[in-house]
Amino acid sequence: MTKILVIGGGPAGLTAAIEAAKQGFNVTLFEKAKIGENIKCAEGFFDTMKLLEKPCAGVLFKVEQIIVKAKSTYSFDASYLNLWMIDRAVWQKALAKQAENSKVIIKQDFPVQHRELKQLRTAYDYIIDASGAPSVTSRLYGFSSFHKENSARTVQYTLRGDFSHIGNCLKVGLMPDFWGYYWIFPKGKDAANVGVGDFYPVRSESLWARLDKIIEQEGLSEYEILKKIGGICPTAIPESLKYDNILLVGDAAGLTSPLHGGGLDMAVISAMEAVKAIVSNAQSYDKNLRAVFAAKLKFERFLAKLWRQRNLDEMDELIKNLEKNRIYGFMLNPHLINDTTITLLEKFLAKQQSVEC
């Protein structure tokens, strides 16, 4: 029987374990801590490519609108998107239960060091590395899972207070002289994840100081801080996604959006693709996975470049005209984008810029 080791008990690792068990493989999963703990995420599940189903557990609500704050405030219909606000701890514990019911052996508080990985390669037919960034594999093979120029830095508070004014919506905001955004993602009427992400490669400013300014700006200064987290999101895929019999998935594969830093959908999809490759031809994994995300990542990099070239006034005008011309559906549905639609969007933006000038 094919023996599979999964390293990491996050969404990618748990999905890989479940999918591998479905194939009749002998599956073991090592999680360095407790499943559902130490989650560094705003907890928005955005299935941009519409390849997945609603999460099996932990769904707090389906997002009805995305509120965007630039100089003015705009609301975009999100009802047709696969976008949910979730409780990741609940979701991951449910996935773990599903894995155990499928005879996956889960060992928690079981970290794997790169020296141990060298030995584990010979004990298992395949290893799926979902250990995050930097990955265990990157330490063994001497490559970097992320670089300053293609990573986002994030900080976040979970606040307790009245968020009923946002309802079943998510709010994001742009700021002057800052290539990043802040977010308010409600976890209910009385709590929300409030954070800021910086996508600029070189910056010395304290993100915590900027987040505190946003808290004051949004009138949340009196709210209670329940949790405080920070982290780095890799936004570039490593040179290779397969090292010997090890396949990288999720954050270990650099699969977070270069536009907004989210990556739960890519984590799950990459896990499914990894198992699919093991069943058919593991050598095809790298090529196949890049092909799955090619259009999505190309479009999101295009939008990120567009964003980076504009100041807040220009972004406000752009957002206003995207809403006015009703083409923002493409902005929120990367699976609809191809080279032709990118070219058309570029022409629209060039025309709009010439009108502004």
Side-chain angles (χ1 to χ4, degrees):
M1 181 182 292
T2 301
K3 293 178 64 179
I4 306 289
L5 172 63
V6 179
I7 303 175
L14 290 165
T15 300
I18 292 167
E19 293 299 313
K22 287 179 182 177
Q23 297 297 326
F25 297 152
N26 183 328
V27 186
T28 300
L29 183 149
F30 293 162
E31 163 54 38
K32 65 182 179 181
K34 291 281 193 299
I35 290 175
E37 293 184 355
N38 195 32
I39 291 173
K40 299 179 179 180
C41 176
E43 298 182 280
F45 189 111
F46 191 2
D47 174 24
T48 56
M49 300 170 69
K50 293 193 172 181
L51 295 177
L52 303 172
E53 298 177 353
K54 176 181 175 181
C56 64
V59 174
L60 300 174
F61 57 86
K62 189 176 188 303
V63 177
E64 297 172 356
Q65 290 185 323
I66 299 175
I67 303 168
V68 180
K69 172 72 167 63
K71 294 199 73 175
S72 300
T73 301
Y74 306 90
S75 294
F76 296 92
D77 179 22
S79 61
Y80 59 96
L81 301 176
N82 283 358
L83 176 55
W84 300 275
M85 186 64 193
I86 65 170
D87 183 321
R88 260 189 65 178
V90 172
W91 179 43
Q92 288 175 205
K93 288 175 182 177
L95 290 175
K97 185 66 176 177
Q98 184 178 341
E100 288 178 323
N101 289 341
S102 300
K103 301 190 183 333
V104 174
I105 298 171
I106 296 179
K107 297 185 178 182
Q108 301 184 66
D109 296 315
F110 207 95
V112 175
Q113 304 299 327
H114 65 278
R115 300 178 191 85
E116 298 167 319
L117 180 60
K118 191 173 184 178
Q119 298 173 335
L120 289 169
R121 288 180 312 182
T122 62
Y124 291 86
D125 296 298
Y126 292 99
I127 295 175
I128 298 176
D129 186 350
S131 61
S135 66
V136 180
T137 302
S138 71
R139 295 189 179 99
L140 175 61
Y141 287 85
F143 66 91
S144 179
S145 296
F146 56 84
H147 304 275
K148 287 183 178 179
E149 62 269 21
N150 53 35
S151 298
R153 294 183 300 134
T154 64
V155 296
Q156 176 179 273
Y157 294 132
T158 298
L159 298 180
R160 175 182 288 152
D162 184 8
F163 289 96
S164 59
H165 59 289
I166 297 181
N168 290 346
C169 304
L170 303 182
K171 182 174 183 178
V172 299
L174 307 184
M175 295 159 279
D177 303 318
F178 185 78
W179 193 47
Y181 70 100
Y182 70 87
W183 61 84
I184 303 177
F185 284 12
K187 295 173 69 69
K189 292 182 179 180
D190 59 357
N193 290 328
V194 183
V196 60
D198 185 356
F199 288 74
Y200 195 72
V202 180
R203 186 181 293 276
S204 59
E205 177 189 19
S206 166
L207 282 187
W208 290 110
R210 183 170 282 268
L211 178 54
D212 287 338
K213 291 178 184 177
I214 291 164
I215 296 294
E216 183 179 358
Q217 171 189 311
E218 290 286 335
L220 309 175
S221 299
E222 301 302 316
Y223 288 17
E224 179 186 359
I225 298 175
L226 301 178
K227 186 178 179 182
K228 177 180 178 179
I229 61 170
I232 297 178
C233 300
T235 58
I237 300 175
E239 183 177 341
S240 177
L241 295 173
K242 183 178 179 298
Y243 291 83
D244 295 322
N245 62 338
I246 304 173
L247 284 65
L248 305 179
V249 298
D251 283 1
L255 292 172
T256 54
S257 168
L259 178 65
H260 55 75
L264 291 180
D265 59 332
M266 290 193 286
V268 172
I269 293 168
S270 63
M272 297 168 69
E273 288 293 322
V275 175
K276 189 187 301 183
I278 290 172
V279 171
S280 57
N281 176 17
Q283 299 302 322
S284 67
Y285 174 65
D286 192 305
K287 180 180 178 181
N288 290 348
L289 190 66
R290 292 177 194 272
V292 168
F293 296 127
K296 167 186 166 66
L297 293 176
K298 180 178 181 179
F299 181 56
E300 291 184 353
R301 290 189 187 106
F302 164 72
L303 291 180
K305 181 180 178 181
L306 170 76
W307 180 7
R308 194 169 182 177
Q309 293 171 340
R310 286 164 167 75
N311 60 33
L312 184 61
D313 288 337
E314 292 168 331
M315 283 302 296
D316 187 83
E317 191 68 21
L318 172 60
I319 294 167
K320 179 173 68 176
N321 282 285
L322 288 172
E323 194 279 335
K324 179 180 177 181
N325 288 274
R326 308 295 294 176
I327 67 169
Y328 59 83
F330 287 113
M331 308 289 281
L332 299 176
N333 285 277
H335 70 291
L336 298 176
I337 295 295
N338 54 37
D339 289 342
T340 301
T341 50
I342 287 179
T343 299
L344 290 173
L345 185 55
E346 285 176 327
K347 288 180 178 179
F348 167 79
L349 295 172
K351 180 180 178 181
Q352 194 60 49
Q353 192 167 22
S354 66
V355 170
E356 293 167 15
C357 294

